[in-house]
């Protein structure tokens, strides 16, 4: 578990955890209808911390905004909030020297990819879990960070989105399909596989 933090300028709530001698920081962007308390993202974050990576789980919308469906699918807005969180991480004493990666789920993955497409974005790697990259399709070709797309084999529509997105991303990017898994990776061992893949991707691609 981490410490509660508030990300300016809107005091967005987050949970920060930085292991001793951390080798990097991963900022999480959850999907529509979820929050920083997402059991799945919390489980992945715990695995990453065991690999020596710091984590920031953050709500990218205010409580009032999150009640409005239009905000949940406003990828430009979500990406801008993720950029604000990234700036905060770079300035916060416990994390300011650490290389940054993004982990996004569902619509949060689209926000992570849109943020990573910004010209000066510092993210070294992106991992998408059951992501909706087609919501950031117009900027996928601008993403420089190696991106890992993880999708369940039984998540047919989303798998199709990710196959098409892979063709637009940089050549270092990869698609990993977890056999038998559905969109929420609720099947035995599925989420653990996501965590292992994400941990390996960040360890391989974050410098230091």
């Amino acid at each position: 578990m981490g410490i509660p933090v508030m990300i300016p300028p809107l005091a967005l709530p987050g949970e920060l955890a930085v292991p001793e001698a951390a080798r990097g920081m991963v900022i999480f962007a959850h999907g529509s209808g979820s929050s920083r308390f997402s059991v799945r993202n919390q489980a992945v974050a715990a695995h990453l911390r065991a690999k020596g990576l710091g984590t920031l789980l953050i709500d990218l919308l205010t409580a009032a905004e999150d009640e409005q469906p239009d905000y949940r699918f406003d990828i430009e807005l979500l990406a801008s909030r993720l950029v604000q969180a990234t700036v905060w991480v770079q300035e916060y004493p416990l994390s300011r020297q650490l290389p940054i990666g993004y982990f996004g789920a569902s619509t949060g993955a689209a926000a992570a990819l849109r943020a990573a497409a910004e010209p000066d974005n510092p993210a070294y790697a992106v991992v998408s879990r059951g992501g909706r990259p087609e919501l950031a399709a117009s900027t996928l070709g601008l993403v420089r960070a190696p991106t890992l797309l993880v999708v369940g084999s039984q998540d047919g529509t989303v798998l199709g989105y990710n196959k098409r997105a892979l063709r637009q991303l940089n050549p270092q990017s990869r698609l990993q399909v977890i056999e038998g898994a559905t969109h929420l990776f609720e099947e035995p061992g599925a989420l653990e596989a996501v965590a292992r893949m994400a941990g390996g991707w960040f360890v391989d691609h974050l410098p230091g």
Side-chain angles (χ1 to χ4, degrees), residues 83-157:
V83 168
Q84 292 170 4
T86 304
V87 171
W88 180 87
V89 163
Q90 290 183 301
E91 295 174 348
Y92 192 74
L94 290 177
S95 56
R96 61 186 174 195
Q97 302 296 329
L98 299 176
I100 291 171
Y102 291 151
F103 182 98
S106 191
T107 52
L113 289 165
R114 177 65 187 86
E118 291 294 313
D120 299 322
N121 188 279
Y124 285 93
V126 178
V127 175
S128 161
R129 172 179 65 80
R132 297 286 307 276
E134 84 285 358
L135 297 176
S138 63
T139 57
L140 292 179
L142 302 176
V143 177
R144 299 174 306 284
T147 299
L148 177 65
L149 307 170
V150 185
V151 187
S153 66
Q154 302 304 306
D155 194 8
T157 301

Side-chain angles (χ1 to χ4, degrees), residues 156-177:
T157 301
V158 172
L159 180 55
Y161 293 150
N162 280 263
K163 286 180 176 178
R164 289 190 288 274
L166 183 64
R167 295 195 288 268
Q168 296 177 258
L169 291 165
N170 61 69
Q172 293 175 286
S173 299
R174 297 289 182 269
L175 171 64
Q176 289 281 355
V177 179

Side-chain angles (χ1 to χ4, degrees), residues 2 9 15 20 32-33 57 103 105 107 110 166 174 178 186 194 206:
E15 182 181 291
E20 188 175 352
S32 171
L57 291 93
F103 182 98
T107 52
L166 183 64
R174 297 289 182 269
I178 298 181
E186 295 174 308
V194 173
L206 296 183

